[in-house]
Amino acid sequence: MPEDNLYDISIIGGGPIGMFAATYAGMRSAKVQLLESLGQLGGQPQALFPEKTIYDIPGFSSISGKDLIRNLNTQLQQFNVDVYVNSPVLNIQKTEKNQFKIITNNRISYSKSIIISTGIGSFEPRRLRIANAEALENDKLFYTVNDPSIFENKSIAIAGGGDSAIDWALELNTIAKDTIVIHRRNQFRAMESNVDKLKESGSKIMTPYTIDNLSTDNSHNNLTIQLKKVRTKDTVELSVDALLVNYGFMSNNSILKSWDLDLITTKNNLIPVNSKLETNLQNVYAIGDIANYPGRIDLIAVGMGEAPMAVNNALESLYPEKIQPKHSTQLVKNIKNNENN
Ligand SMILES: Cc1cc2nc3c(=O)[nH]c(=O)nc-3n(C[C@H](O)[C@H](O)[C@H](O)COP(=O)(O)OP(=O)(O)OC[C@H]3O[C@@H](n4cnc5c(N)ncnc54)[C@H](O)[C@@H]3O)c2cc1C
């Protein structure tokens, strides 16, 4: 096995938590690779809410999803980390030398330890199940917002009752001509303070309605949304410029089933870990949204704390004889192009 194909730590999943784990492992001078299945790093913030403003990242009063990922990337690039995108990990197998063989769609590598940060797995938005929805996608019908400016001075309907829908209604309300929120229940599942803000925002709220049909006029300028009032035969039509559907997303972590890991199959195949973030497999750790222990909540700030814990525990297990420095000030010499090098 070529030496450059053997890593101390392989991090599977390049969302925010995997990115920070890779940064930290690089800072600790570990030989580290970061493997990401999508064509870009950044996980959920980059793919699902790049423009959303996040208010609970330590050290930032507020930051958008994409700016957070850009900053994490800048931080990552200071250290020697091999980054592979478009590299879904298909399997991990224990070798006779007590190492791991990591198989992606295009490469085989080896690692002494593994940190799994696959989050919610490979994900895609939950789509509207209406005959012509697919034909209207990315024209009149959207599931994610990459560029909010396309909604400037437009009439936008937003379907959904969770945080994403309410967040987008509040955000787009500042630039759109008008916003209409459509939800199938009278109660929203979003943060209460944001629901209160929505009610005061001037957005029109249509509940309890479901979307029955979509059509466009001949000029293809307007989108007509036919709504049906839940448990009645009443229908109503809305004419808007675009519809943003936030019905959540479907994720798939089933690939983990072939990796000999204990999984909580009733909870989307989450990986149970102990207080050292160890899985049932020695030298395999799980962090971020994929990890599960009592009291864990799926927040970036929580995963950011788990990343250095997993890296330090992995290195301590691999190299128990080595002194384990923990503060970045003791490790600053590892920064690429640092003048102290
Ligand atoms: C709409 C929305 C709003 C949110 N708002 C907030 C907020 O305000 N504050 C907050 O703290 N949190 C928020 N969250 C939650 C936050 O996004 C997650 O907690 C965070 O993204 C978890 O990061 P992660 O790195 O563990 O997983 P993810 O972000 O899910 O990243 C996992 C990565 O692993 C990759 N992957 C999966 N399987 C494989 C494989 N087999 N091989 C290689 N790569 C793989 C995926 O492609 C993905 O890039 C929000 C989430 C959503 C959906």
Side-chain angles (χ1 to χ4, degrees):
M1 168 200 333
E3 264 305 291
D4 62 352
N5 219 12
L6 172 64
Y7 291 87
D8 292 319
I9 302 180
S10 294
I11 298 164
I12 304 178
I17 310 309
M19 291 175 80
F20 185 55
T23 296
Y24 195 87
M27 194 174 78
R28 289 282 330 256
S29 300
K31 185 165 166 50
V32 56
Q33 65 173 342
L34 176 61
L35 302 161
E36 165 56 42
S37 62
L38 296 175
Q40 58 181 8
L41 295 178
Q44 296 172 57
Q46 184 67 40
L48 300 179
F49 56 100
E51 295 294 340
K52 191 183 101 109
T53 306
I54 315 174
Y55 294 95
D56 51 1
I57 302 297
F60 293 93
S61 51
S62 68
I63 187 164
S64 70
K66 75 169 190 273
D67 285 348
L68 172 67
I69 297 305
R70 195 176 46 224
N71 289 355
L72 284 168
N73 224 340
T74 307
Q75 194 179 16
L76 174 66
Q77 280 169 18
Q78 297 178 106
F79 302 99
N80 287 313
V81 175
D82 291 349
V83 177
Y84 294 92
V85 292
N86 291 315
S87 297
V89 174
L90 305 177
N91 208 342
I92 55 174
Q93 293 164 358
K94 196 117 196 203
T95 69
E96 286 167 2
K97 289 186 184 167
N98 239 358
Q99 294 169 350
F100 298 94
K101 180 178 180 180
I102 301 177
I103 302 162
T104 69
N105 58 336
N106 52 28
R107 183 171 156 264
I108 288 177
S109 57
Y110 294 85
S111 198
K112 297 176 186 171
S113 72
I114 289 179
I115 297 178
I116 301 174
S117 49
T118 50
I120 55 170
S122 51
F123 45 86
E124 57 172 309
R126 206 180 292 275
R127 289 180 157 76
L128 262 187
R129 293 203 188 145
I130 288 180
N132 52 350
E134 202 180 331
L136 294 167
E137 198 170 323
N138 295 326
D139 176 21
K140 294 280 163 201
L141 168 63
F142 298 84
Y143 294 98
T144 53
V145 181
N146 291 323
D147 176 11
S149 69
I150 63 168
F151 298 123
E152 228 169 278
N153 298 320
K154 300 271 165 70
S155 292
I156 312 298
I158 298 147
D163 284 309
S164 275
I166 307 309
D167 285 357
W168 275 119
L170 291 173
E171 199 104 6
L172 295 179
N173 203 30
T174 59
I175 56 164
K177 189 164 79 185
D178 42 60
T179 51
I180 307 165
V181 176
I182 305 160
H183 183 40
R184 68 195 159 105
R185 298 185 211 281
N186 287 322
Q187 276 77 36
F188 289 95
R189 282 178 289 107
M191 204 190 271
E192 281 164 21
S193 57
N194 281 344
V195 176
D196 291 342
K197 274 190 209 159
L198 177 74
K199 287 176 181 162
E200 291 158 15
S201 70
S203 271
K204 190 171 174 183
I205 299 175
M206 302 280 297
T207 63
Y209 283 98
T210 54
I211 299 175
D212 230 19
N213 193 38
L214 298 177
S215 55
T216 49
D217 56 13
N218 287 344
S219 62
H220 208 67
N221 283 331
N222 283 329
L223 175 71
T224 302
I225 308 174
Q226 188 177 317
L227 299 179
K228 184 171 168 297
K229 192 157 194 176
V230 172
R231 279 189 223 100
T232 72
K233 288 190 176 142
D234 300 350
T235 59
V236 57
E237 281 190 352
L238 297 175
S239 179
V240 294
D241 293 300
L243 168 64
L244 173 64
V245 172
N246 286 139
Y247 286 170
F249 39 84
M250 294 181 300
S251 57
N252 188 350
N253 253 329
S254 57
I255 189 91
L256 299 178
K257 283 184 188 160
S258 52
W259 295 3
D260 286 338
L261 285 163
D262 280 350
L263 299 174
I264 311 174
T265 48
T266 51
K267 286 192 184 173
N268 195 23
N269 297 322
L270 295 183
I271 304 173
V273 290
N274 63 17
S275 59
K276 292 176 97 178
L277 301 160
E278 292 167 319
T279 68
N280 62 307
L281 301 179
Q282 197 186 5
N283 293 328
V284 179
Y285 300 78
I287 58 175
D289 282 9
I290 188 63
N292 187 261
Y293 49 82
R296 187 180 196 284
I297 48 173
D298 292 343
L299 285 179
I300 293 163
V302 172
M304 290 299 182
E306 294 162 352
M309 277 172 67
V311 170
N312 280 327
N313 290 332
L315 291 177
E316 211 154 348
S317 165
L318 295 178
Y319 304 109
E321 71 290 354
K322 281 194 187 167
I323 296 169
Q324 305 289 333
K326 289 209 169 70
H327 293 154
S328 64
T329 40
Q330 296 167 279
L331 299 160
V332 74
K333 64 180 167 42
N334 300 331
I335 291 184
K336 279 194 229 165
N337 307 322
N338 187 286
E339 56 190 21
N340 298 329
N341 272 350

